[in-house]
Amino acid sequence: MNDYVTDASQEDNEINSSLVLRDRNISHKRENSLDWEDYFMAVAFLSAKRSKDPSTQVGACIVDKNKRIVGIGYNGMPRGCSDDEFQWKKNTSNKLESKYLYVCHAEVNAILNKNVQDITNCDMYVGLFPCNECAKVIIQSGISSIVYMSDKHAHKIGTIAAKRMFNAAGITYRQYTPKNKEIVINFSEIDWNEMEQSAPSPTTSSH
């Protein structure tokens, strides 16, 4: 039974691959590549997949004016603080067990992980609108604009304070509407070009 399922799955993959290959014109450039902003936001969302936070996973991506990624980060415990030993609790009567005392947010980690000396005038792509604590670090770092996906905490004092600081510091922010609602990463796609010679040609009807 397992062998049958595996064979059927492989057959489906081969069919899907051949259909994609038929639609490809390998003599001309691809027309359906990701645009820059979907790419940068996707990097932020992919980074979020590294987060161990059971409630909210957030990623951030810093981009310079030459469209180079110069920093990425996700929310997690500080270096040296074990993900297994420190608490991930949100609501607890014991404040020392609250994750909020320990977790570094994605924006701060992206800034700390930067691979250049100066990120002045860079843009930050982030899944969730920054909190007030992250806003302080963003402002001090010299980042000039924020592109975010969700503003679900807009009603919270921390978010309101963050916007007040951004407005005062002249940092722009805007909510992003992705051109692709979903981006799928298929690790087998890299081998599809090897199948081009063996891909079946489309058949034509003889009627």
Side-chain angles (χ1 to χ4, degrees), residues 2 18 33 35 37 40 42 49 51 56 66 70 85 89 99 112 115 126 134-135 143 147 154 159 161 165 169 196 203:
N2 290 338
S18 64
S33 62
D35 83 336
E37 290 209 295
F40 297 139
K49 296 296 185 183
S51 176
T56 305
N66 293 314
V70 295
E85 295 177 9
K89 296 178 182 177
K99 69 176 182 178
L112 293 175
N115 55 23
V126 63
C134 289
I143 287 173
V147 184
T159 305
M165 286 188 283
E196 288 177 1
T203 58

Side-chain angles (χ1 to χ4, degrees), residues 164-193:
R164 290 184 64 181
M165 286 188 283
F166 285 152
N167 291 339
I171 294 177
T172 62
Y173 50 88
R174 62 182 172 88
Q175 191 165 24
Y176 185 60
T177 302
K179 295 175 179 60
N180 295 277
K181 294 298 183 183
E182 183 180 62
I183 297 171
V184 177
I185 297 176
N186 185 341
F187 286 115
S188 66
E189 190 176 89
I190 195 69
D191 290 324
W192 286 358
N193 63 332

